[in-house]
Amino acid sequence: MSKKPELARGDNVAIAIQPGVGIGFARDTDQWFVQTPDPLALLTELNDQTAPRWVWWDRSTATQIAQARVPIDRCWDVATVHRLIFGGWKTSVGEVWASLNGLPLDPLPRMGQLGLLDMPDDNGDRDSPIQPDGHLRPEWISGGSQTSVERLASWASLVLRAMRLQQPMLDALPDPDRAHSTARSESAAELLCAEMTTGGLPIDEEEALRLIGEFAGPRAASALDEERIREERDEEVLVHLTPRQPVNLRNPAEVKAMLRRQGHELPDTRAWRLEQLGDTDPLIPALLRWRKAERISTTYGYGWLDEHVRDGRLRGGWASSDGAAGRMTASAGLHNLPAAMRSLVKAEDGYVFVRADLGQIEPRVLASVSGDAALIAATLGDDLYEPIAARLGVTRDIAKVAVLGAMYGATTGESAHALAGLNKNYPVAMGLLEEAAEAGRKNQDVFTSGGRRVRMSSTTPGDGDLDRAVAAAAARGRYARNAIVQGSAAEFFKVWAITVRRRGRALAAEVVLCLHDELLVHARVEHASEVAALVADAIGEAAHYWSPDPNVRFSADVSVIKHWSEAK
DNA sequence: ATCGTAGGCGCC
DNA sequence: AAAGGGCGCCTACGAT
C-alpha cells in the first residue's frame, strides 16, 4: 500500500493531506500513502513530474496548496462541482456526501453530538470514515481523525468515490461535455480564489493613508474625538435647516421626514432621486456630499485599512461561485472599492499591473448561448450596439438600454418601447430570455450555459395576497432572466481567468483581482508586453474552450498600468 | 446581547 | 435613458 506508483497525465488522483503526517492517494485501481513531514513538497515534486488531475474535497485542500504555492493547473474540487450540480452555495463536505448518496439531510451528524451511532461501543468501525447510517463521520470531516497515513489513504479513496458519483450527474445534463468542462474550469477557479485569498492585492499603504485622510479627515485619537468628527460632518448638512433641529442622518426615515419638512416629498431618499431635485436647495448637495464622506469613513476608512491591509497587501476572502448565478464574490471591499480610491492599488517596485476588461460581455454571451444568428453577427464589430441600433432604426443609446433592459427584465420606459423591435429582430435570443423568465415565474430552476443549476427561491406566498404573489413571480422572472446571462458570463470569465493564471505562470505573472469582467495581473516590468499579449490571447483560447458558438467575437481592452486608477 | 431585515450605496 | 439583475458592507431598528 505504501509505494511510489507511476502516475499518468490522464489519471484522476484523489489526495488527502495532513501536515506532519503525509499524503493519502487514491485512483480507481489502487490507493496508497506516503509518510512525510512535508507532504506539500512531495505533492509539488509529483506534480512537476507528471501532472495528473488532482482530486480533493473542498477549499481546505485548495488553501493548503495555495499557501505552499504548488503550481497545480488540473484539479477537481468536489464541493465546487457540487454547487454546480445542485445550485446554491452553502455546503459542507458532510452535506455533499449525503446528497450524492441520497441520504437524508435533516439530522446531519455534528461534531460533539454523541448520538447512538457515535458511541464508542457501537458496532461501527472507528477506522472507517463512514458511519453505519452512511453519513461521513464528523471527526473525519474535521480532520481530527486523520492521524495516520492509512487513514489519509481511505479518506482519499472516499474523495474519489464522491467524484465518481458526480460524473454521471453531469452526464445527465443537456450538454454533458460542456458540464464536465465547466466542472473542471470551476474547480480551477476555486483554486485561483484560494490563491488570491492567500496572496492579496498590492496596496500602497502610504497612499492609502493619504487618501483616507483626504476623504475622512485625520485619524481619531480617541472615542471622544471620533464623536467630534462625526458631529462636525453632520453639521455641514444640518446648517441648511430652518429652523435648526437635530436629525439623525444615519436613519433614512428621519432623513425622509427632514426632507418633507423642507418641502421635498419623496418615496425614498436614494441618491438618484435627490439628484433629480437639482440644486435649488443647498441642503440636497450637502446631504449627498455627507453620504459620500460617511461611506468612505465607515467602510473604507482607517478601520478598513487596519483590518484588511498588512504587509502591503489587501486580503479578503474570495469565493469562486458564491453568487446566486455563480459569480465570484470577494469580501474586504475588493469588489466595491470606490473608483476615487483605486489609486491606492499599486504594483510593487519592479512590477506593473496588466489590466484587462471584457467588452460588452453580457450581450455577447447572450448571442453565444442563444445561437441567435442576427445577434452573433452583431458581435463581429468592436461595438455591438451600433449594428443593433441600425437594425432597429433607433439611436445607439436606446439600443443599449433596450438590450440591457431585456437581460435585466426592465418593464417600463424607453427600453420597453424598443423591446418590440428586439423581439422582432432577435427572436431567438429574446425567446431564450423569455423562456428563462417564464421558468422563474413558475418557480422552476434554470440552468446556465455551462450547466450550473440556479435555484429559484421556493418562497410561496401563503397569505393569499394575490398582488404580492404576482409581484414575487415577476421578481423571480427578472431574476431568472438575468441569471442565465450573468451566470454564463461568469463561467466564461472564469475560464479566461484560469487560462491567464496557467499561461502566466512561466512569466511569474500573478492574477491578483477578478471583477466580473475585469482582470488585474501583477507582473514584472520586463514581462509587461508579453503578459499583456498573453492576456489578450487567452480570450481566444477561453472562447474556444467555453463558447457554445465559435462565431461569437469576444474582445478585451488591455493596458499596462502602475495604479488601478489609471485605466478606463 | 444577538439576530435578521431594511434602506442605502459602493462596484459590476 | 431609466431606476431593472447581482454582490458586500454600513447603520438603525424591531424581534428574540
Side-chain angles (χ1 to χ4, degrees):
Chain A
M1 198 156 154
S2 182
K3 55 169 184 172
K4 291 223 173 177
E6 287 287 304
L7 296 183
R9 209 175 135 71
D11 287 351
N12 293 301
V13 182
I15 49 174
I17 303 169
Q18 186 79 308
V21 178
I23 314 187
F25 300 87
R27 281 188 298 201
D28 288 325
T29 46
D30 51 357
Q31 56 171 277
W32 70 101
F33 53 76
V34 178
Q35 195 161 351
T36 164
D38 190 356
L40 289 150
L42 169 66
L43 185 64
T44 306
E45 191 189 318
L46 292 172
N47 189 62
D48 285 348
Q49 287 163 9
T50 314
R53 185 171 307 282
W54 301 109
V55 182
W56 53 72
W57 272 123
D58 69 348
R59 184 62 169 272
S60 58
T61 303
T63 298
Q64 291 179 306
I65 286 163
Q67 286 172 351
R69 299 170 179 271
V70 186
I72 287 174
D73 289 324
R74 291 144 46 87
C75 61
W76 186 283
D77 183 304
V78 170
T80 295
V81 176
H82 179 85
R83 288 193 288 269
L84 174 69
I85 297 170
F86 288 84
W89 56 93
K90 285 172 184 58
T91 182
S92 64
V93 168
E95 284 170 1
V96 169
W97 178 258
S99 296
L100 290 173
N101 289 281
L103 300 170
L105 277 161
D106 302 329
L108 201 65
R110 291 214 184 84
M111 260 312 262
Q113 171 191 317
L114 276 182
L116 190 64
L117 300 166
D118 280 329
M119 294 299 280
D121 59 349
D122 74 0
N123 60 353
D125 174 7
R126 310 279 298 173
D127 264 342
S128 163
I130 302 177
Q131 296 176 170
D133 66 359
H135 283 286
L136 296 181
R137 283 189 195 281
E139 62 271 30
W140 277 74
I141 297 173
S142 70
S145 283
Q146 289 162 50
T147 48
S148 69
V149 279
E150 288 85 355
R151 287 188 169 202
L152 288 172
S154 25
W155 194 234
S157 72
L158 225 53
V159 175
L160 197 71
R161 269 172 68 185
M163 180 203 199
R164 292 305 186 199
L165 287 167
Q166 288 180 321
Q167 284 173 323
M169 295 182 174
L170 296 168
D171 290 334
L173 287 165
D175 190 336
D177 287 346
R178 292 210 56 210
H180 278 82
S181 100
T182 309
R184 296 190 290 267
S185 60
E186 295 287 316
S187 294
E190 177 73 3
L191 180 55
L192 169 60
C193 283
E195 289 175 345
M196 289 191 294
T197 301
T198 302
L201 180 67
I203 296 289
D204 179 346
E205 295 190 57
E206 282 185 25
E207 173 70 359
L209 282 168
R210 196 191 64 74
L211 268 172
I212 294 170
E214 191 179 301
F215 286 114
R219 195 190 271 268
S222 64
L224 204 69
D225 201 26
E226 178 86 54
E227 184 63 25
R228 181 186 58 80
I229 290 170
R230 274 166 57 128
E231 280 173 10
E232 279 174 12
R233 191 154 55 228
D234 293 2
E235 196 55 26
E236 301 280 323
V237 177
L238 301 181
V239 73
H240 296 289
L241 295 179
T242 47
R244 289 296 308 272
Q245 54 197 299
V247 175
N248 182 359
L249 298 173
R250 294 160 189 84
N251 182 335
E254 280 196 44
V255 172
K256 195 170 151 186
M258 173 189 83
L259 290 167
R260 195 174 54 240
R261 286 196 298 275
Q262 294 288 122
H264 309 294
E265 187 72 41
L266 296 170
D268 59 62
T269 70
R270 290 193 154 86
W272 65 268
R273 254 190 240 283
L274 297 177
E275 279 155 11
Q276 283 182 338
L277 295 175
D279 40 9
T280 50
D281 184 346
L283 172 70
I284 304 300
L287 180 58
L288 288 168
R289 276 196 305 274
W290 179 91
R291 285 240 176 100
K292 267 199 159 47
E294 177 76 2
R295 174 112 201 114
I296 290 186
S297 318
T298 54
T299 309
Y300 302 103
Y302 300 101
W304 169 78
L305 196 65
D306 295 345
E307 192 177 343
H308 302 296
V309 178
R310 208 166 334 114
D311 308 323
R313 294 264 170 152
L314 166 59
R315 288 186 179 79
W318 287 87
S320 64
S321 63
D322 220 359
R327 268 187 173 185
M328 282 188 182
T329 60
S331 61
L334 282 156
H335 270 180
N336 39 16
L337 198 67
M341 295 189 70
R342 292 190 173 184
S343 59
L344 61 78
V345 179
K346 184 186 175 192
E348 291 170 359
D349 290 346
Y351 286 79
V352 289
F353 290 129
V354 174
R355 179 201 166 276
D357 73 304
L358 297 167
Q360 305 171 336
I361 181 61
E362 292 195 341
R364 287 172 198 269
V365 161
L366 174 60
S368 185
V369 303
S370 66
D372 188 302
L375 198 57
I376 289 169
T379 68
L380 296 182
D382 285 341
D383 181 13
L384 163 134
Y385 298 119
E386 283 288 357
I388 296 176
R391 206 172 157 119
L392 297 191
V394 297
T395 65
R396 182 187 177 282
D397 280 350
I398 301 266
K400 180 179 175 181
V401 170
V403 171
L404 293 176
M407 292 187 300
Y408 287 156
T411 51
T412 56
E414 201 69 52
S415 61
H417 177 248
L419 205 58
L422 284 180
N423 283 329
K424 183 159 167 268
N425 287 282
Y426 305 97
V428 179
M430 296 303 122
L432 181 74
L433 292 171
E434 187 47 41
E435 198 182 307
E438 179 57 18
R441 287 190 288 264
K442 289 193 291 192
N443 237 326
Q444 291 167 354
D445 294 352
V446 292
F447 294 84
T448 64
S449 150
R452 175 179 300 278
R453 177 185 292 270
V454 179
R455 302 201 91 92
M456 288 299 122
S457 60
S458 52
T459 48
T460 44
D463 55 5
D465 187 331
L466 193 63
D467 285 351
R468 286 178 78 122
V470 169
R476 286 198 308 274
R478 289 193 298 271
Y479 174 81
R481 176 188 287 274
N482 181 247
I484 57 163
V485 180
Q486 190 191 96
S488 301
E491 281 156 11
F492 174 67
F493 175 82
K494 281 181 253 186
V495 172
W496 183 41
I498 62 170
T499 304
V500 169
R501 171 185 176 274
R502 173 170 47 78
R503 291 180 53 179
R505 181 170 297 122
L507 298 167
E510 180 191 10
V511 175
V512 289
L513 182 96
C514 294
L515 190 42
H516 308 318
D517 65 348
E518 179 177 357
L519 269 183
L520 215 50
V521 186
H522 197 230
R524 293 209 57 91
V525 179
E526 59 268 30
H527 294 148
S529 53
E530 211 177 335
V531 172
L534 177 164
V535 167
D537 199 46
I539 294 173
E541 188 174 335
H544 176 74
Y545 181 90
W546 176 84
S547 180
D549 192 299
N551 297 314
V552 173
R553 182 169 165 263
F554 293 97
S555 65
D557 181 48
V558 184
S559 51
V560 176
I561 55 176
K562 191 71 187 172
H563 301 87
W564 192 15
S565 51
E566 286 165 47
K568 233 178 190 174

